[in-house]
Amino acid sequence: MKHYIDITLLPSDDIGIHFLWSKVMMQVHLALVEIQDATKQVPVATSFPEYREYMNNKPGFLGQKLRLMALDRADLVRLDINKWLRRLSDYVHVKEIAPVPETDSYESFSRENTKGSLEKHIRRRMKRHEETYEQALSNYEGYEQDDVKSRVPFIKLKSLTSGNEFCLNIDRKRVADNTDELPTHHRFNTYGLNRTAILPKF
């Protein structure tokens, strides 16, 4: 990644940081959808410079900054993120495209899916296999629910297809400082996330 744009979220008394994240990320998602290729991949990554992990019983938090990164400056120009965030101009500050500085630190961001509640899995199995509650339950012995919401920060979004709300859980992985093995390019989903992509941390 060689170029980036920083977007700072500016919550106020009438619009909180979590609500603002929902609005900003939805607009970023729509912008990325516009530039996706035939495989629904995009050349722009999202990262979260102020990402805070779950620690000492404090929930994870994304902070107030979103960073968009691309290998080619032209991809950030084509994205035209200012157009997509125009309605939120009182609540965001968008910097100009800038070159990524030299760094020895790297990280990756990905969507972390939850396993879901045990009850949900049981009901689904009862329906699919026409089993009783007890029969379905016996298939989930030792099941441990993944309480991912308490481990990683998330953004509440609404599906454009179903209209249902869902949580976009965002996990961060630190990457060993080994510049010899860094890939030069990656494609990302329409939230700018990719589990295997290595991004500069600065």
Side-chain angles (χ1 to χ4, degrees):
M1 291 296 163
K2 294 183 178 179
H3 305 277
Y4 76 101
I5 297 173
D6 271 351
I7 302 168
T8 303
L9 281 63
L10 306 170
S12 65
D13 291 338
D14 62 322
I15 182 166
I17 187 65
H18 297 292
F19 181 77
L20 190 52
W21 265 116
S22 297
K23 294 297 183 184
V24 168
M25 198 62 181
M26 179 54 73
Q27 291 304 112
V28 169
H29 170 59
L30 292 172
L32 293 174
V33 166
E34 282 292 305
I35 66 166
Q36 68 184 343
D37 62 19
T39 63
K40 297 188 177 181
Q41 297 289 294
V42 299
V44 176
T46 54
S47 73
F48 307 86
E50 297 177 354
Y51 188 100
R52 184 186 74 204
E53 296 172 348
Y54 173 83
M55 193 178 293
N56 300 325
N57 293 322
K58 289 183 180 178
F61 182 52
L62 292 173
Q64 290 184 211
K65 191 174 285 187
L66 173 66
R67 181 169 287 155
L68 304 175
M69 283 191 268
L71 186 63
D72 297 319
R73 188 179 191 278
D75 289 320
L76 292 175
V77 172
R78 184 164 59 110
L79 186 67
D80 194 8
I81 198 60
N82 281 297
K83 177 185 82 171
W84 293 94
L85 295 175
R86 193 166 291 136
R87 289 186 302 121
L88 298 169
S89 60
D90 290 342
Y91 302 101
V92 295
H93 178 255
V94 183
K95 288 191 173 180
E96 296 293 320
I97 299 172
V100 169
E102 291 288 328
T103 181
D104 291 326
S105 297
Y106 301 91
E107 60 192 353
S108 68
F109 291 93
S110 61
R111 181 175 183 180
E112 186 75 18
N113 291 315
T114 62
K115 289 183 182 177
S117 72
L118 178 57
E119 288 297 317
K120 184 177 178 181
H121 287 300
I122 290 172
R123 285 194 304 272
R124 186 181 296 136
R125 184 173 177 90
M126 287 170 65
K127 188 174 181 180
R128 286 183 181 169
H129 300 280
E130 296 183 359
E131 294 178 342
T132 65
Y133 182 87
E134 289 73 21
Q135 288 171 326
L137 177 62
S138 67
N139 287 280
Y140 293 98
E141 188 174 338
Y143 177 90
E144 291 183 14
Q145 185 171 334
D146 183 9
D147 190 15
V148 71
K149 283 186 188 178
S150 69
R151 294 191 295 103
V152 301
F154 64 91
I155 302 171
K156 275 198 171 181
L157 296 172
K158 186 174 282 190
S159 168
L160 297 176
T161 51
S162 69
N164 296 329
E165 282 194 345
F166 67 96
C167 290
L168 179 68
N169 303 298
I170 299 172
D171 192 21
R172 177 182 68 176
K173 293 281 189 292
R174 298 173 190 276
V175 179
D177 300 341
N178 187 348
T179 54
D180 294 336
E181 297 181 9
L182 289 179
T184 57
H185 188 52
H186 273 286
R187 305 298 280 182
F188 302 85
N189 68 18
T190 53
Y191 293 101
L193 303 170
N194 180 338
R195 187 176 305 279
T196 60
I198 297 172
L199 304 176
K201 176 177 169 51
F202 57 95

